[in-house]
Amino acid sequence: MGAVLHVRQRALEDGPGPSTERLEGGKSVMAWDSAAMLVLAGVAAGLAGSVAGLASLFSYPALLAVGLPPVAANVTNTVALFSNTVGTAAGSRAELRGQGERLLRLGVIAALGGAVGAALLLGTPSAAFEAVVPWLIALGSVLILVRDPLRRMVASRAPEPGSARPTFPLTCAVLLVGLYGGYFGAAAGVLMLAVLSLSAAEPLAVTNAVKNIATGAANLTAAVAYAVVAPVDWIAAVVLGLGALLGSWAGPMVVRRLPETPLRIAIALAGLGLAVTLWYRAQA
């Protein structure tokens, strides 16, 4: 209850962001330029999520740019980006066939982690969140840069077909990644992909599809918690979510036609630049 009151008080102190304008009768409407920015950022987030699992590098700063304070931007981002899971799942139906039991098991574990991560965010002072976000984004960006060596390391340690790693380490790892996803989430997809790749010998496309559902479960749990007690900007969440749905649906088709390595490096460098900018802002 204390965390709920804490978050609601921060919402009252922050007030409505500049992304919306009040009309007569108390209704809110988003300015067209803010709406356009969030749609484009959502599309970019969906595309980035398809390439590298790093959707928040585009969506989170866009929410800050339209005037939302950091905590409100983060919870709104979490709610909006659940549409990413819907879009990517729709494009991965072939890879997900026969994975029902595994998806249920991993989804429950990741959802528990997401709930813990959401609780940590809701009970964490805003200043602490602003201080840690740049480091989380920097971590995600570095993981993108070293993705190929990480994949080679994972491949060298992958189990033989038909064998399995011990389930307890996998459970702990999925729980921790889910916790991270519920708290902030940038590069949670990359972390989950690495964890799942170490636990099963299968095509990367299958692992990636399972990863999307597992991280989506953590995201959904956190989104539900935020929807009830956190300062979600629902207009911004809907507009951003529509763009993300389009981007995540089109992402696989676009990625097939673009050189992956330059695009991945560009995303990682942009993320590092964002991390430096937010770190500098937090020191001010």
Side-chain angles (χ1 to χ4, degrees):
M1 179 62 70
V4 173
L5 295 176
H6 176 63
V7 172
R8 290 194 183 280
Q9 179 62 35
R10 288 203 329 240
L12 293 173
E13 292 172 355
D14 291 336
S19 63
T20 57
E21 299 173 350
R22 292 287 182 184
L23 299 179
E24 292 185 7
K27 295 182 178 180
S28 297
V29 63
M30 176 170 286
W32 69 268
D33 54 342
S34 294
M37 177 186 295
L38 290 182
V39 169
L40 292 175
V43 172
L47 292 172
S50 298
V51 175
L54 214 55
S56 292
L57 288 186
F58 287 93
S59 54
Y60 178 71
L63 290 167
L64 294 178
V66 299
L68 294 183
V71 172
N74 186 59
V75 297
T76 300
N77 185 56
T78 299
V79 171
L81 288 187
F82 180 69
S83 62
N84 251 12
T85 303
V86 176
T88 54
S92 304
R93 286 173 292 181
E95 289 80 8
L96 293 175
R97 288 194 185 100
Q99 298 286 336
E101 182 180 349
R102 181 186 182 194
L103 292 175
L104 178 62
R105 182 176 66 255
L106 293 175
V108 169
I109 296 169
L112 289 174
V116 175
L120 286 176
L121 177 66
L122 295 178
T124 300
S126 179
F129 178 77
E130 292 182 55
V132 76
V133 162
W135 299 102
L136 296 178
I137 294 178
L139 171 63
S141 301
V142 170
L143 286 172
I144 293 304
L145 284 175
V146 302
R147 189 199 65 177
D148 287 342
L150 179 62
R151 280 185 177 175
R152 287 194 291 270
M153 180 191 72
V154 167
S156 68
R157 299 179 57 188
E160 295 296 328
S163 64
R165 295 288 185 186
T167 57
F168 181 70
L170 172 64
T171 298
C172 293
V174 171
L175 186 69
L176 288 174
V177 175
L179 186 155
Y180 171 68
Y183 184 78
F184 183 61
V190 176
L191 295 172
M192 188 69 76
L193 181 62
V195 167
L196 296 179
S197 296
L198 284 170
S199 69
E202 62 190 4
L204 180 62
V206 175
T207 308
N208 191 61
V210 174
K211 173 265 296 181
N212 287 333
I213 302 302
T215 53
N219 183 280
L220 176 61
T221 306
V224 170
Y226 296 156
V228 175
V229 301
V232 176
D233 187 319
W234 287 104
I235 297 177
V238 170
V239 174
L240 180 65
L242 289 175
L245 181 63
L246 176 61
S248 61
W249 173 78
M253 294 181 287
V254 173
V255 169
R256 293 186 195 109
R257 293 167 172 79
L258 291 177
E260 179 184 338
T261 299
L263 183 59
R264 176 169 52 83
I265 292 175
I267 291 173
L269 293 178
L272 289 173
L274 172 64
V276 172
T277 300
L278 293 179
W279 177 83
Y280 181 79
R281 185 180 299 174
Q283 308 308 307

